Amino acid sequence: MGHPLLDLTNKTAVVIGGTSGIGLALARGLAQAGANVVPTGRRDEQVRAATAEVVALGRRSLAQTCDVTDNGSIERLLQSVRSEFGSVEILVNCAGRTKRMPTLDFPEAEWNAIMETNLYGTLRACRVFGRHMIEKRYGRIINIGSLSSFVGLFEVAAYGASKSAVASLTKTLAIEWAASGVCVNALVPGVLRTNLNAALLDGTERGREFLMRTPMRRFGKIEELAGAAVFLASDAASFLTGHLLVVDGGILASGVNQ
Ligand code: NDP
């Protein structure tokens, strides 16, 4: 039996970007903590597979695609989840994309696409679900930051700008909605190997540098983020808002590692 304040039974969580990598691991973690979980993304097949995982864990789910670049699709998702579950208590904004290229060569269209998903997508989902949570006077929003919310990472300027802005947005919404019962925090993963970054990390100098800079000397496992997400989503975090919770094996704490 876990701590009662960490129990998410009878809560409904929507995890956007919940069909792969970190988001899927968070969807599993929230379901294991008792929540009904709606993992979503753009591709129907992936949505169905993620939904089936939630059901296999003994929770309720709902399969509906969502694209955070389209406000209407987020609105439709909220409507479906409300008619199935009544309300949404937890939102995780995990949709993200990245591209590495020298900033001078970076095509503007690609820059805009990264901003559209990582920053404006997070903003759209916060607004659609935040309005509902404010009406209910209860909500937990978890945005996903990055080490690049804090420090510069080589040749990923658009991604870093988007994630720094997500950190800022998290704090601003936290103070705006604090009196309405809606807590807005960010989970900041260190380096975890997923579809997003495998090509950037595997057998590269960049991958080796990350390992050298990580006091734990390894990449994180996606399931190592679940506990932090369950905590932020729970009533145990009732006085916690505007916080960026870094789960990074010590990278941001470290200066020299040998
Ligand atoms: P993945 O590529 O494995 O997962 C991305 C998820 O987002 C998929 O479910 C994808 O599904 C969904 N997605 C992408 N675009 C959209 C969109 N427009 N609308 C809705 N869903 C979308 O990546 P990760 O798990 O690595 O990354 C998840 C988050 O974690 C990102 O925000 C990333 O920046 C962040 N992060 C990752 C780190 C890492 O080390 N991996 C470190 C720090 C932060 P589909 O393509 O079907 O839409």
Side-chain angles (χ1 to χ4, degrees):
M1 181 63 189
H3 192 287
L5 289 176
L6 290 167
D7 183 4
L8 303 181
T9 303
N10 295 326
K11 297 207 158 98
T12 302
V14 170
V15 183
I16 306 182
T19 61
S20 165
I22 291 172
L24 182 56
L26 300 185
R28 283 188 204 112
L30 295 171
Q32 280 162 343
N36 297 317
V37 181
V38 177
T40 183
R42 292 166 300 179
R43 288 169 293 174
D44 188 55
E45 198 177 319
Q46 276 77 356
V47 170
R48 284 178 193 287
T51 303
E53 285 205 35
V54 172
V55 172
L57 288 168
R59 310 296 171 214
R60 290 166 63 209
S61 191
L62 177 154
Q64 183 165 321
T65 58
C66 174
D67 183 341
V68 291
T69 65
D70 170 9
N71 206 59
S73 100
I74 305 172
E75 294 276 8
R76 287 191 292 279
L77 177 66
L78 172 65
Q79 290 322 319
S80 302
V81 179
R82 283 190 71 171
S83 52
E84 181 74 21
F85 296 98
S87 59
V88 180
E89 286 74 32
I90 300 158
L91 170 69
V92 181
N93 280 310
C94 205
R97 60 189 287 167
T98 190
K99 184 178 183 62
R100 176 182 170 179
M101 191 183 273
T103 302
L104 290 179
D105 304 331
F106 212 97
E108 197 171 322
E110 190 67 41
W111 181 285
N112 290 339
I114 288 171
M115 286 303 206
E116 271 299 328
T117 300
N118 298 8
L119 176 58
Y120 302 130
T122 297
L123 172 64
R124 287 185 194 100
C126 283
R127 277 161 46 109
V128 169
F129 284 87
R131 189 184 301 280
H132 164 74
M133 290 172 175
I134 288 166
E135 271 168 25
K136 299 278 177 185
R137 300 200 72 78
Y138 184 94
R140 296 279 185 273
I141 297 178
I142 304 172
N143 295 326
I144 305 296
S146 154
L147 297 176
S148 65
S149 300
F150 298 93
V151 295
L153 301 182
F154 190 66
E155 291 183 343
V156 289
Y159 182 77
S162 75
K163 290 296 186 174
S164 297
V166 165
S168 170
L169 179 69
T170 299
K171 289 183 258 189
T172 307
L173 294 181
I175 61 171
E176 213 170 309
W177 297 347
S180 306
V182 179
C183 298
V184 188
N185 294 291
L187 178 59
V188 179
V191 186
L192 302 98
R193 192 186 167 287
T194 65
N195 292 337
L196 182 90
N197 58 14
L200 285 173
L201 298 177
D202 288 350
T204 65
E205 282 303 318
R206 191 184 182 94
R208 279 188 281 280
E209 182 177 346
F210 271 127
L211 287 177
M212 191 188 76
R213 287 177 180 274
T214 306
M216 288 193 186
R217 293 281 189 251
R218 62 178 177 85
F219 298 135
K221 303 190 196 99
I222 51 175
E223 56 270 25
E224 290 180 292
L225 298 172
V230 168
F231 168 60
L232 292 176
S234 75
D235 289 338
S238 55
F239 199 52
L240 201 149
T241 199
H243 187 68
L244 310 177
L245 180 49
V246 180
V247 181
D248 71 348
I251 297 187
L252 285 185
S254 82
V256 173
N257 265 327
Q258 56 195 331

